């Protein structure tokens, strides 16, 4: 693949960043009812077509787009003054986001089936327990994704290639989404908090800013050729 095509793919990947954040924000707008306090409401909620569609596009699709965008951002900064940091952040964030595909897929496909089984009279299905390894993968994914995205924000801030404040907004959005949204929500209400949506929207703004600037500054042919000879 020639340098021009590589640059085109990088630009497309950068635009995947705000798109993935927007669809993720959309999927978190309506929190689930408490499964233990009101299992009937929970089962009706998760077995609805709107739930399945929002998780298929928002959770699963958004996660896949995020991985594409993460790799594009790492490649965009690979030859900058923070190349080593950017690539380390790219690998960390991509690994964490890939691990988060596990709960995303379960929420999209397994949870609606559980809800329908409960409404069909099989109430024992609510006692279903997933292996502890799934919880471990989820927590590890959260940690790696959070660290990776914060490091990506720092790399953008220090790169002198992309807007500094876009990097600051990206890191702040990661704190809102992962720490004050997902983690705090699991520790308190058990569902997503408004801070999760706010964090995703902040990352969408930062991602759009990065993509707009990065599309004009995508690696030139000479840069890409030089990278291949290092």
């Amino acid at each position: 693949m020639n340098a021009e095509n590589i640059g085109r793919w990088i630009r497309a990947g950068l635009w995947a960043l705000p798109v993935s954040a927007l669809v993720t924000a959309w999927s978190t707008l309506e929190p689930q009812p408490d499964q233990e306090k009101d299992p009937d409401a929970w089962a009706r909620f998760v077995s609805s077509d709107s739930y399945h569609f929002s998780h298929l596009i928002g959770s699963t699709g958004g996660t896949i787009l995020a991985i594409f965008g993460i790799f594009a951002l790492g490649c965009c900064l690979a030859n900058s003054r923070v190349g080593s940091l950017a690539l380390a952040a790219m690998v960390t964030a991509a690994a964490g986001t890939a691990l988060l595909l596990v709960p995303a897929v379960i929420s999209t496909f397994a949870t609606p089936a559980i809800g329908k089984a409960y409404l069909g009279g099989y109430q024992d299905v609510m006692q279903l327990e997933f292996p502890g390894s799934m919880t471990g993968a989820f927590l590890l994914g959260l940690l790696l994704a959070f660290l990776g995205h914060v490091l990506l924000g720092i790399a953008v801030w220090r790169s002198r290639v992309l807007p500094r404040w876009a990097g600051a907004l990206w890191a702040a959005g990661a704190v809102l989404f992962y720490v004050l949204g997902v983690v705090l929500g699991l520790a308190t209400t058990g569902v997503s908090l408004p801070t999760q949506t706010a964090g995703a929207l902040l990352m969408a703004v930062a991602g759009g800013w990065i993509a707009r600037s990065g599309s004009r500054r995508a690696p030139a042919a000479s840069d890409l050729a030089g990278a291949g000879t290092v």
Side-chain angles (χ1 to χ4, degrees), residues 25 31 35 67 91 103 118 149 160 177 189:
Q35 183 176 352
I67 294 174
V91 171
Y118 178 85
H149 282 295
R160 296 181 183 174
F177 183 85
T189 64

Side-chain angles (χ1 to χ4, degrees), residues 6-84:
I6 294 174
R8 188 178 299 117
W9 277 102
I10 290 176
R11 287 190 290 272
L14 291 177
W15 282 108
L17 290 172
V19 175
S20 68
L22 282 175
V23 295
T24 299
W26 167 63
S27 69
T28 64
L29 286 175
E30 189 175 1
Q32 298 180 25
D34 191 299
Q35 183 176 352
E36 296 183 358
K37 294 180 179 179
D38 195 348
D40 289 340
W42 177 86
R44 287 192 297 270
F45 180 85
V46 301
S47 60
S48 65
D49 291 338
S50 60
Y51 173 90
H52 179 72
F53 182 73
S54 68
H55 277 68
L56 181 63
I57 302 300
S59 297
T60 305
T63 303
I64 294 171
L65 283 173
I67 294 174
F68 182 26
I70 289 165
F71 276 115
L73 182 55
C75 291
C76 184
L77 297 175
N79 291 326
S80 70
R81 62 195 296 267
V82 292
S84 297

